[in-house]
Amino acid sequence: MSNANREAPPSAGRAGIKRELPEHFRDYRHVWVFIELERGEVHPVSFELLGEGRKLADKLGMQLAGIVLGPPGEATQHAIAEAFAYGADLVYLVEAPLLADYRNEPFTKAMTDLVNTHKPEILLLGATTLGRDLAGSVATTLLTGLTADCTELDVVDGSLAATRPTFGGSLLCTIYTLNYRPQMATVRPRVMAMPPRTDKPVGRVIRHKLSMTEEEIITKVLGFNLDRQSAKANLAYADIVVAGGLGLGSAENLQLVKNLARAIGAEYGCSRPLVQKGWMPADRQVGQTGKTIRPKLYIAAGISGAIQHRVGVEGADLIVAINTDPNAPIFDFAHLGIVTDAIRFLPALTEAFTRRLSPHSHDKLAS
Amino acid sequence: MHIVICIKQVPDSAQIRVHPVTNTIMRQGVPTIINPYDLFALEEALRLRDAHGGEVTVLTMGPPMAEDALRKALTYGADRAVLLTDRCFAGSDTLATSFALSRAIVRIGETFGAPDIVFAGKQTIDGDTAQVGPGIAKRLGLLQFTYVAKIGSIDVDAREITVKRRSEGGTQMLKSRLPCLVTMLEGTNEIRRGSLDDAMRAARSQIVKWSAAEAGIDDLNKCGLRGSPTVVKRVFAPTTRAEKATQIDMTDKTQHDLADELIAAIFTRQPALEHELAFDGGQ
Ligand SMILES: Cc1cc2nc3c(=O)[nH]c(=O)nc-3n(C[C@H](O)[C@H](O)[C@H](O)COP(=O)(O)OP(=O)(O)OC[C@H]3O[C@@H](n4cnc5c(N)ncnc54)[C@H](O)[C@@H]3O)c2cc1C
């Protein structure tokens, strides 16, 4: 069972939020954002969360802190500087060689020690493989509430109001963590908008020691295989995404989507049934159980626009839908619609784009 | 080797409808299934048992009807099924759920032998939190490996395990110790069809049913709503956008005309895109 699945208890109903915190929670203050650093790189979701955390902190009249856990060295210093550039007032830092590669044990220890010492009111993490692994352990260690995959965060009557999809995405629910601190939430990459980067290079850094030695950590890292860059889908951060759905009819027809994507420098993606059929790998799936995307342009071909697909693409600036069915739900949230057979239309579109984008192609041919 | 796997019975959410007026879930007649992600973990558990010997115990917390999910797991080849069911669990959030399941796993250990590995699904399709697995691990003081793409090797006598786990930019190879908790990534193995023998055995099997007390849970303040720090305050339908998509008019046009018109419409709405596209794409 999970919190999102639960009906609201009748007693909680519309009654106000109970805010009589137990004495020992009164000194919990400030909004924390975990700055996810893996293999030298800060995950952009951390900046998106700083943007969101800033709003919450301002509403609460509190400070915004970045939490940096990493090995001594340049990458960690860079993460600190970036946290400030994206709006953190201060950074809590645990710097230790043991934090070079992600392992649950030292990261959970570092984070829970920080929380117990400095007592944040709110703690936000990205719902990445690392963030989810860590958040679950930290919340259970601290015995506090954790709301996963939020799509909206707000402060209502001084409490964190975390909204997330439920029932397979068909409904939303707003969840509070009353009487427990910190109030924890995870948010998936690209659900929140990227805040502007400022050039505010310095801030206060509060250091904390990791009270753990390598001998105490049972898990050892044997190695790491980087994804082959070329094969890796970077859907979440692509500016343009072209996606195909079941309407394309066959695995072969997906080539039409890939061709268009290649012609305009886009990433390609798909709806879930295509992954289930084995037509595309899981990291190309767009939607609630796939990737959340926020491209400038999203072209959906042969996709019906089910709610689970919709929640993953709603953040796009411009949604174009190609579908044979004028009543397909995708037309309810697309900006531009075209009722036609995608199998015939995609090649024409690819060709038209190519013509339009390379006006000198004729010259080249001529010379 | 003793493997415990936690599964959940979920409504087939593809078939859930929301009442258009009251915004409530219409559950009537919605079939239930084993959470699809759990099946990959179950399959992995069965493979390990087949390779190394031992037993697989499948555990679920849920209403009495969750017995169906357990029986289904038995048809796949699990050896034993435990249903943790009690009204006091109603309304559990992830923290309360991980408490109850971890107590049941302790009880399973006392009754049927301590587990070497506890499996859980990566996440459920109804709650989607991916938190219960890590929660159970923490409660039991087990090492945890989430998003595991492959279990490399297991040495039951030396108590060693190696796993490949998915991380943002690649795959991490880890070596650790048993016992541990593993959540499997989807698509990592081919889920078997149960054999006829297993189906017959499943139909005859006794399912172990424990109430909270029988599972050794005496602190009811840690269960159900009382044990859940999070409180659902409001459930509502997503707002729909007022206007529908602007349709490109189809009459008397070739696919090529249509394509040109669509591109013009795109660039009218997003003028900056044309420049960026000409720059990045089109080669
Ligand atoms: C818990 C849960 C999680 C889910 N998560 C996701 C998710 O992350 N992402 C996701 O996408 N789905 C997800 N789904 C599935 C989702 O509910 C839909 O089933 C799925 O999105 C439908 O995919 P589709 O639109 O490609 O296929 P269909 O629904 O079959 O639609 C195909 C569309 O193509 C159109 N079409 C047919 N032929 C043509 C043609 N020649 N040219 C143009 N159009 C044509 C049809 O009119 C139709 O609208 C999830 C479901 C559940 C229950």
Side-chain angles (χ1 to χ4, degrees):
Chain A
M1 263 174 247
S2 86
N3 48 22
N5 253 354
R6 195 159 32 119
E7 311 288 348
S11 57
R14 304 259 173 254
I17 299 157
K18 182 163 160 265
R19 286 208 300 124
E20 269 312 297
L21 276 184
E23 198 58 48
H24 60 289
F25 284 144
R26 296 258 164 85
D27 43 355
Y28 278 70
R29 277 184 305 136
H30 302 323
V31 176
W32 286 14
V33 168
F34 173 58
I35 308 298
E36 179 172 329
L37 181 66
E38 194 166 26
R39 307 195 62 76
E41 290 204 34
V42 180
H43 196 294
V45 70
S46 308
F47 305 140
E48 295 158 13
L49 287 179
L50 282 171
E52 203 58 24
R54 180 79 266 164
K55 295 181 206 158
L56 301 177
D58 290 348
K59 268 201 171 175
L60 288 163
M62 292 178 176
Q63 293 202 302
L64 175 66
I67 308 306
V68 176
L69 315 177
E74 220 175 281
T76 301
Q77 291 308 315
H78 176 71
I80 298 169
E82 289 296 289
F84 290 132
Y86 283 100
D89 300 310
L90 66 157
V91 161
Y92 290 100
L93 169 68
V94 184
E95 206 177 17
L98 300 188
L99 300 172
D101 292 300
Y102 177 72
R103 282 177 292 174
N104 179 270
E105 301 147 271
F107 274 71
T108 302
K109 175 79 177 145
M111 185 66 103
T112 50
D113 281 358
L114 270 181
V115 168
N116 286 328
T117 313
H118 299 285
K119 305 192 185 330
E121 171 84 2
I122 293 173
L123 171 55
L124 307 177
L125 298 93
T128 57
T129 51
L130 193 166
R132 282 177 152 191
D133 190 89
L134 181 61
S137 306
V138 168
T140 313
T141 311
L142 296 169
L143 296 178
T144 190
L146 166 58
T147 307
D149 285 12
C150 303
T151 49
E152 214 181 303
L153 298 174
D154 197 2
V155 167
V156 176
D157 293 341
S159 289
L160 178 68
T163 299
R164 72 184 306 269
T166 181
F167 289 109
S170 26
L171 288 177
L172 296 169
C173 63
T174 303
I175 294 176
Y176 293 80
T177 297
L178 306 177
N179 306 334
Y180 297 82
R181 289 299 178 268
Q183 305 166 80
M184 291 180 63
T186 63
V187 178
R188 293 168 43 163
R190 291 307 252 167
V191 168
M192 303 299 178
M194 189 78 162
R197 189 178 186 285
T198 62
D199 278 313
K200 175 170 161 282
V202 284
R204 199 150 56 98
V205 177
I206 298 167
R207 293 176 168 271
H208 198 92
K209 279 213 160 52
L210 177 63
S211 56
M212 200 176 212
T213 61
E214 181 61 48
E215 290 66 49
E216 291 171 86
I217 307 174
I218 294 164
T219 304
K220 307 293 173 199
V221 179
L222 299 179
F224 193 92
N225 279 346
L226 274 180
D227 287 331
R228 270 186 303 117
Q229 219 49 43
S230 57
K232 199 185 127 200
N234 191 15
L235 280 178
Y237 290 90
D239 276 344
I240 307 175
V241 175
V242 182
L246 263 191
L248 290 178
S250 73
E252 290 70 46
N253 283 340
L254 286 175
Q255 193 57 44
L256 305 176
V257 167
K258 294 183 195 174
N259 290 348
L260 174 59
R262 173 140 30 80
I264 60 177
E267 282 283 354
Y268 61 89
C270 65
S271 62
R272 182 159 94 159
L274 275 55
V275 173
Q276 287 170 330
K277 285 179 176 289
W279 293 357
M280 269 210 204
D283 65 346
R284 298 260 172 207
Q285 183 188 318
V286 173
Q288 195 202 341
T289 44
K291 297 267 176 10
T292 302
I293 61 174
R294 284 182 96 85
K296 293 176 182 162
L297 173 62
Y298 178 59
I299 301 177
I303 294 180
S304 58
I307 184 76
Q308 295 88 3
H309 189 82
R310 175 179 178 165
V311 295
V313 304
E314 258 173 335
D317 293 338
L318 182 61
I319 300 173
V320 175
I322 307 160
N323 198 306
T324 41
D325 174 9
N327 296 316
I330 193 148
F331 292 126
D332 293 341
F333 60 94
H335 303 96
L336 286 173
I338 181 152
V339 180
T340 190
D341 177 359
I343 299 163
R344 286 172 52 226
F345 184 65
L346 282 174
L349 187 61
T350 306
E351 202 197 303
F353 260 124
T354 311
R355 240 186 304 120
R356 172 126 185 188
L357 295 175
S358 39
H360 305 299
S361 57
H362 293 290
D363 307 351
K364 275 181 214 149
L365 279 179
S367 61
Chain B
M1 188 159 60
H2 186 197
I3 301 174
V4 172
I5 149 138
C6 303
I7 66 167
K8 184 180 179 188
Q9 185 181 53
V10 294
D12 187 349
S13 42
Q15 304 194 36
I16 284 191
R17 294 287 169 270
V18 178
H19 193 282
V21 178
T22 59
N23 273 344
T24 50
I25 293 290
M26 303 193 288
R27 294 167 189 264
Q28 293 89 330
V30 175
T32 58
I33 52 175
I34 296 180
N35 175 43
Y37 293 118
D38 300 349
L39 294 177
F40 298 103
L42 175 60
E43 175 63 32
E44 199 64 19
L46 296 173
R47 285 184 191 199
L48 289 176
R49 177 207 56 195
D50 294 348
H52 299 273
E55 286 188 323
V56 170
T57 301
V58 21
L59 165 67
T60 196
M61 174 178 107
M65 69 178 257
E67 183 177 333
D68 297 345
L70 291 173
R71 236 173 252 291
K72 181 85 189 152
L74 290 172
T75 67
Y76 283 111
D79 301 284
R80 176 187 304 115
V82 177
L83 173 63
L84 180 62
T85 187
D86 199 308
R87 293 197 68 86
C88 75
F89 298 133
S92 296
D93 74 355
T94 53
L95 193 74
T97 302
S98 69
F99 171 73
L101 285 173
S102 67
R103 296 311 302 169
I105 292 168
V106 170
R107 189 93 181 90
I108 287 172
E110 291 163 356
T111 318
F112 306 109
D116 300 282
I117 305 183
V118 175
F119 275 101
K122 183 186 80 165
Q123 65 194 62
T124 56
I125 58 162
D126 55 350
D128 253 342
T129 71
Q131 285 162 199
V132 172
I136 294 171
K138 211 31 104 236
R139 300 266 191 190
L140 294 173
L142 295 178
L143 298 152
Q144 87 179 38
F145 305 99
T146 52
Y147 301 97
V148 169
K150 190 175 164 57
I151 293 192
S153 62
I154 284 191
D155 187 330
V156 184
D157 300 324
R159 315 294 298 152
E160 262 180 20
I161 179 169
T162 61
V163 300
K164 278 192 183 174
R165 104 171 256 281
R166 182 82 212 143
S167 85
E168 290 301 304
T171 320
Q172 198 182 29
M173 263 87 64
L174 297 170
K175 179 170 152 180
S176 195
R177 200 185 295 158
L178 299 175
C180 64
L181 177 134
V182 171
T183 76
M184 293 295 294
L185 218 56
E186 69 274 19
T188 38
N189 50 33
E190 191 79 34
I191 295 162
R192 68 189 60 190
R193 293 160 161 265
S195 70
L196 198 59
D197 277 356
D198 283 328
M200 278 158 55
R201 189 179 49 85
R204 286 195 309 265
S205 284
Q206 278 292 332
I207 285 178
V208 181
K209 285 182 200 138
W210 284 338
S211 64
E214 285 164 328
I217 298 173
D218 41 20
D219 191 349
L220 295 187
N221 283 320
K222 293 183 179 167
C223 300
L225 278 177
R226 265 188 288 174
S228 301
T230 61
V231 177
V232 179
K233 277 286 181 185
R234 193 162 90 91
V235 179
F236 57 103
T239 47
T240 41
R241 248 193 14 175
E243 29 158 348
K244 286 195 142 213
T246 309
Q247 295 287 354
I248 307 286
D249 182 20
M250 302 285 305
T251 28
D252 294 336
K253 282 180 201 140
T254 66
Q255 294 283 332
H256 285 98
D257 295 342
L258 275 177
D260 283 335
E261 203 169 312
L262 176 60
I263 292 172
I266 289 173
F267 290 152
T268 307
R269 286 172 184 245
Q270 296 278 315
L273 259 185
E274 178 157 23
H275 178 72
E276 284 168 40
L277 273 180
F279 202 70
D280 304 332
Q283 62 277 69

